[in-house]
Amino acid sequence: MQEMVRLERLTKRFGAVQAVDDVSFSVARGEVLGFLGPNGAGKSTTMRMLTGYILPTSGTARVAGFDVVQSPREAKRRIGYLPEGAPAYGDMTPLAFLRFVGAMRGLAGADLERRLREAIARTSLEEAALRPIDTLSKGFRRRVGLAQAILHDPPVLVLDEPTDGLDPNQKHEVRKLIKEMSSGKAIIVSTHILEEVDAVCDRAVIIARGRIVADARPEELRRRSPAHNAVRLTIDRAREEEATAALRAINAVREVRPLERVNGTATLLVLPVDGADLGAAVAGLLHERGIRVEHLTVEPGRLDEVFRALTASRPS
Amino acid sequence: MRAVATVFKRELAAYFTTPLAYVFIVIFLALAGAFAFFVGAFFERGQADLESFFVFHPWLYLFLVPAVAMRLWAEERRTGTIELLLTLPASTFEIVLGKFLAAWLFTGIALALTFPLWLTVNYLGEPDNGVILAAYLGSWAIAGAFIAIGACASALTKNQVIAFVLGAAICFLFLMSGVDLVLSAFRGWAPPWIVDLVASFSLITHFNELAKGVINAATAVYLATLVGVCLLVNTLIVDLEKAG
């Protein structure tokens, strides 16, 4: 895989505040990287350094081999950037705005017109193309920002919270668009919505207080969840205590937690030690004792738990 | 150069998509006319020239031109579009220059719309049209200097009102540095060459020459330098923001 973006020890200090602290990662062509973190963790600051809007205090960022500080023009040419909040000139129509961005990027004539048509079609902006951006809905404005970012078909896309404030249908559209474009590009998507990571990302980098706390595939992250491979089962209420005691006796079981009791049934969560595979052992044991199981599911683990564990502020 | 032209076109169009352009032009024309006829006694002087018209321009510009320049950067900062603009493949100076030229041409359009006065004076008498042309150029140059100063002020803030007040105050200092009020503050203690230097910064001294149709090299060099320095300072202010 061809490496398109490389951040090396990127650091940004605003006065006494360490906004981004020693951040390094790289993104290859064809990869969608989810950049996660709580608000204020340094996501936008990192993206702003990568796109050349602010200068790093130390460290480097390269786009297709071009250093964003040494050769900003070459680097910027290869990036499509959707800044946070999708800013655009409100007095212009999307068409005029896209034409301006295209001209700034050196597109002209038939080539510009073709790319304008393409970008407008890909972001479904046709019906809004001739209305002032100020009068458009949030969803349309976000799409104008996306159209502007993909206009010149850049090898690197940097999208700062592309689905923030959109309704579920619009979110779905944007994610579909990102997925469609992912094959030929290196894409960085910042978000604090975890479902987005599952929906579009091949890899997730989690940042907290300016530092990277995880860089892994979503499945790997999920494996770190205490609930990974936990077994959730529903049984007869009358036999709950017996089952609980028996399950606790299994070596690989860390904890048996009652979740709910409804209509004479009880639901238990059986948590494994170190994510061990419990499914077969639990089912076998209950079968042996003749306890009828109504439901049994193995939990894949939850990203939000991992996210919270990694980013929750702890005393330093 | 492509980026300069692109920014220039967008900025110029932006003036005319808001009421600001029309309000500015109407007020400028009304005030320029009112001053020329009532305060400058255009008819009573009985002379076929436009001196009574041009002589008030610096004072009109003092509060009208910062109003044209105030949105150039403050608006971009307020709406966040500056992030988009500065991540496009263009240098900061190209963007600064494009914005300056757009605002300057806009004041030029307003100035050109005073042409009925020129027609009037040609109908009434036989003025020296060379002098009038030179005075028009001089007036436009002063507007350019004020635009460049106002753009710097605009780059310092995201609040257009602050940009306006700051721009007008700096323009005022440049305008007034030639009058006795300011110079006497220096005369008491400074050596004569400093007093002369401060006086030579005065736009009003230079403009009085220009209004008579006299364009000398010193004035041209002074104005070009003033605008050039302002554009560089403007670039520096925007780049310093990036360094945070």
Side-chain angles (χ1 to χ4, degrees):
Chain A
M1 284 206 288
Q2 192 192 350
E3 181 183 282
M4 291 305 295
V5 175
R6 168 169 283 278
L7 308 188
E8 250 172 282
R9 315 209 60 177
L10 208 59
T11 298
K12 181 71 188 180
R13 220 172 290 124
F14 295 109
V17 181
Q18 190 85 13
V20 173
D21 187 4
D22 204 16
V23 162
S24 306
F25 63 80
S26 61
V27 191
R29 191 186 286 274
E31 198 176 18
V32 181
L33 180 110
F35 196 40
L36 285 88
N39 291 331
K43 299 190 297 284
S44 292
T45 307
T46 306
M47 290 181 144
R48 285 172 172 174
M49 286 191 277
L50 173 60
T51 53
Y53 176 55
I54 56 175
L55 299 174
T57 309
S58 67
T60 56
R62 288 176 177 278
V63 176
F66 293 101
D67 187 304
V68 297
V69 179
Q70 308 296 325
S71 354
R73 207 182 280 250
E74 291 304 316
K76 286 172 180 174
R77 213 169 256 165
R78 287 162 177 79
I79 300 180
Y81 178 36
L82 173 71
E84 192 177 5
Y89 296 109
D91 51 0
M92 298 176 104
T93 65
L95 189 64
F97 175 64
L98 293 175
R99 196 165 267 145
F100 164 72
V101 173
M104 286 295 279
R105 292 197 172 278
L107 304 172
D111 184 38
L112 174 62
E113 295 306 316
R114 182 179 57 79
R115 284 167 190 269
L116 283 173
R117 271 199 307 278
E118 266 177 33
I120 287 173
R122 289 199 99 159
T123 50
S124 315
L125 268 175
E126 291 89 348
E127 56 174 305
L130 295 174
R131 284 155 47 192
I133 293 172
D134 267 344
T135 67
L136 297 180
S137 68
K138 209 167 179 181
F140 271 127
R141 263 186 264 177
R142 193 58 49 121
R143 280 188 259 170
V144 171
L146 274 169
Q148 161 278 124
I150 63 175
L151 185 64
H152 55 302
D153 195 22
V156 174
L157 263 184
V158 180
L159 310 174
D160 199 347
E161 304 198 344
T163 60
D164 184 42
L166 300 187
D167 69 35
N169 295 335
Q170 296 167 333
K171 279 185 185 166
H172 178 75
E173 289 298 315
V174 169
R175 286 173 194 159
K176 206 172 85 191
L177 180 66
I178 294 172
K179 269 213 141 4
E180 279 167 17
M181 292 187 303
S182 62
S183 60
K185 300 183 195 304
I187 305 181
I188 302 180
V189 184
S190 90
T191 179
H192 49 241
I193 307 167
L194 291 157
E195 52 181 301
E196 207 141 287
V197 178
D198 277 320
V200 295
C201 301
D202 304 309
R203 215 176 100 211
V205 167
I206 302 182
I207 182 172
R209 293 173 302 281
R211 287 182 152 270
I212 291 187
V213 290
D215 179 352
R217 307 177 65 78
E219 313 87 84
E220 289 164 10
L221 284 177
R222 220 178 255 117
R223 242 172 262 149
R224 300 189 196 175
S225 158
H228 174 64
N229 271 349
V231 177
R232 176 194 292 264
L233 49 96
T234 307
I235 55 171
D236 188 353
R237 168 83 177 85
R239 308 197 62 179
E240 185 193 344
E241 269 143 51
E242 181 194 349
T244 305
L247 290 168
R248 284 208 174 114
I250 302 176
N251 271 342
V253 170
R254 181 159 54 86
E255 194 192 338
V256 178
R257 203 182 284 166
L259 292 180
E260 56 174 12
R261 299 185 179 106
V262 201
N263 297 335
T265 66
T267 302
L268 302 175
L269 185 69
V270 186
L271 294 162
V273 174
D274 293 333
D277 195 350
L278 285 177
V282 169
L285 181 89
L286 295 174
H287 183 72
E288 233 168 68
R289 298 194 165 232
I291 299 173
R292 203 172 65 83
V293 178
E294 283 182 32
H295 288 289
L296 188 148
T297 48
V298 178
E299 303 268 316
R302 295 170 50 136
L303 271 182
D304 59 345
E305 281 183 0
V306 179
F307 180 82
R308 254 202 320 275
L310 287 169
T311 61
S313 41
R314 47 201 121 107
S316 51
Chain B
M1 273 304 116
R2 182 200 74 241
V4 177
T6 308
V7 171
F8 169 79
K9 267 192 283 186
R10 200 207 77 75
E11 290 291 337
L12 194 61
Y15 278 115
F16 289 98
T17 53
T18 61
L20 177 78
Y22 305 101
V23 170
F24 175 86
I25 288 176
V26 167
I27 290 181
F28 175 73
L29 294 181
L31 287 179
F35 275 107
F37 286 109
F38 300 116
V39 187
F42 176 74
F43 288 122
E44 289 81 351
R45 290 171 76 234
Q47 287 183 30
D49 66 23
L50 286 179
E51 214 184 310
S52 65
F53 164 66
F54 285 114
V55 76
F56 297 106
H57 281 194
W59 306 103
L60 282 177
Y61 289 155
L62 187 58
F63 65 97
L64 285 177
V65 170
V68 172
M70 67 183 183
R71 52 164 286 282
L72 285 176
W73 292 95
E75 178 78 354
E76 301 258 9
R77 292 260 297 268
R78 191 181 61 78
T79 60
T81 46
I82 190 165
E83 185 165 357
L84 185 94
L85 192 61
L86 295 182
T87 51
L88 291 171
S91 73
T92 309
F93 184 73
E94 286 174 312
I95 298 170
V96 166
L97 189 59
K99 281 176 174 285
F100 165 77
L101 290 175
W104 193 29
L105 184 69
F106 176 71
T107 59
I109 291 169
L111 186 59
L113 287 174
T114 61
F115 72 92
L117 213 59
W118 171 72
L119 293 180
T120 307
V121 79
N122 270 278
Y123 172 76
L124 292 174
E126 283 175 6
D128 185 339
N129 281 321
V131 169
I132 291 178
L133 181 66
Y136 261 114
L137 289 177
S139 172
W140 193 33
I142 299 286
F146 280 13
I147 288 282
I149 292 169
C152 282
S154 179
L156 284 169
T157 172
K158 61 171 84 171
N159 184 323
Q160 294 196 29
V161 177
I162 294 177
F164 172 80
V165 173
L166 199 61
I170 302 172
C171 289
F172 182 72
L173 286 180
F174 270 96
L175 203 56
M176 293 297 286
S177 64
V179 302
D180 273 338
L181 183 75
V182 175
L183 289 182
S184 57
F186 285 89
R187 271 198 197 101
W189 54 274
W193 67 269
I194 289 203
V195 178
D196 287 345
L197 189 71
V198 172
S200 73
F201 278 160
S202 167
L203 281 168
I204 210 82
T205 318
H206 289 288
F207 183 74
N208 286 339
E209 297 294 301
L210 290 170
K212 293 189 192 97
V214 184
I215 299 179
N216 61 41
T219 298
V221 167
Y222 168 70
L223 285 172
T225 310
L226 180 61
V227 169
V229 167
C230 283
L231 293 182
L232 290 179
V233 169
N234 193 344
T235 308
L236 209 65
I237 293 171
V238 175
D239 279 341
L240 275 177
E241 287 296 325
K242 292 174 75 168

